Amino acid sequence: MGIKDTAAEWQVTATATPFVGNKTSVRTDEVVMPDGAAVTRDYQVHPGSVAVLALDDEQRVLVLNQYRHPVRHKLWEIPAGLLDIPGENPLHAAQRELYEEAHVKAEDWRVLTDVYTTPGGCDEAVRIFLARGVSEVEGERFEVSEEEADMELARVPLPDLVRGVLAGDLHNNCLVVGALSLQAAMAGDGLDALRPADAPWPARPFTA
């Protein structure tokens, strides 16, 4: 018998938004517990994100090295970005991020996995895509700025990423989940058995 996460919503008796930022905000809810007591829960409200594990014809994964100020690290990551437009098709957002951050496109897209990054303190949902048939995009590169201006691009064999994850050398959530999910898919039913790129995503419903 398989296991599956299920939607649920406990009663909220009061809510407030003490902080509103450029992309995210903080919400405070009074939530009724099963014993009837009401407790306070603070969490970050997030628009959602997409990430792309781009696999080239030599079975290498496209990765980026970027400074992340909250953790004071330069992390190896896979291309990723916010869902900037409410209801935006996540595939379109992923294709945009792959172009902007890596200047490549892909012919075959699948859903690799869907995750909540930190469900104890943030409602961020991320859809991680697998992109194959990778090729360079013609024309000028997208102009980057701020942290992205210092990014380093590399293509790394999947086994090297998996070893780095298990050794504690790689920490980015989407890279870790994406690399391990890809290895599991390859060892299981195969990549063609993955969900189609337009598969429903209840966490962030979208239009076509």
Side-chain angles (χ1 to χ4, degrees):
M1 182 178 180
I3 61 173
K4 182 178 180 180
D5 296 335
T6 55
E9 187 170 354
W10 291 359
Q11 182 184 4
V12 174
T13 58
T15 187
T17 306
F19 171 79
V20 177
N22 185 34
K23 296 291 186 180
T24 66
S25 60
V26 173
R27 183 174 297 163
T28 299
D29 288 344
E30 292 287 337
V31 186
V32 178
M33 298 288 106
D35 64 359
V39 301
T40 300
R41 292 290 180 263
D42 302 315
Y43 59 99
Q44 183 183 21
V45 179
H46 195 285
S49 307
V50 292
V52 185
L53 196 149
L55 188 67
D56 70 14
D57 294 339
E58 298 179 39
Q59 302 299 291
R60 299 175 302 175
V61 177
L62 192 153
V63 291
L64 309 165
N65 191 242
Q66 184 173 349
Y67 176 67
R68 294 301 188 182
H69 186 70
V71 295
R72 307 304 198 272
H73 271 71
K74 291 190 74 174
L75 300 179
W76 285 102
E77 308 178 350
I78 56 177
L82 297 175
L83 291 170
D84 294 322
I85 305 169
E88 181 179 18
N89 188 312
L91 174 60
H92 299 165
Q95 291 169 332
R96 180 184 67 241
E97 293 298 331
L98 187 61
Y99 159 68
E100 292 181 355
E101 295 192 351
H103 201 64
V104 299
K105 60 183 179 180
E107 295 299 323
D108 185 85
W109 291 81
R110 310 283 172 129
V111 174
L112 187 55
T113 189
D114 299 324
V115 295
Y116 291 115
T117 54
T118 50
C122 179
D123 71 351
E124 181 183 14
V126 180
R127 168 156 283 188
I128 304 176
F129 289 92
L130 172 66
R132 293 181 290 173
V134 176
S135 61
E136 296 291 328
V137 177
E138 296 180 359
E140 296 183 3
R141 288 184 172 273
F142 181 80
E143 185 176 349
V144 296
S145 61
E146 301 175 349
E147 289 92 344
E148 293 183 353
D150 190 45
M151 284 196 309
E152 178 185 351
L153 177 65
R155 298 191 183 205
V156 180
L158 177 63
D160 290 352
L161 293 181
V162 172
R163 281 191 290 269
V165 168
L166 298 180
D169 295 330
L170 300 172
H171 306 89
N172 174 263
N173 182 288
C174 291
L175 185 149
V176 170
V177 173
L180 297 182
S181 295
L182 179 59
Q183 179 176 260
M186 287 178 164
D189 295 332
L191 302 185
D192 290 336
L194 293 170
R195 286 174 291 163
D198 60 352
W201 189 17
R204 293 295 185 274
F206 58 91
T207 55

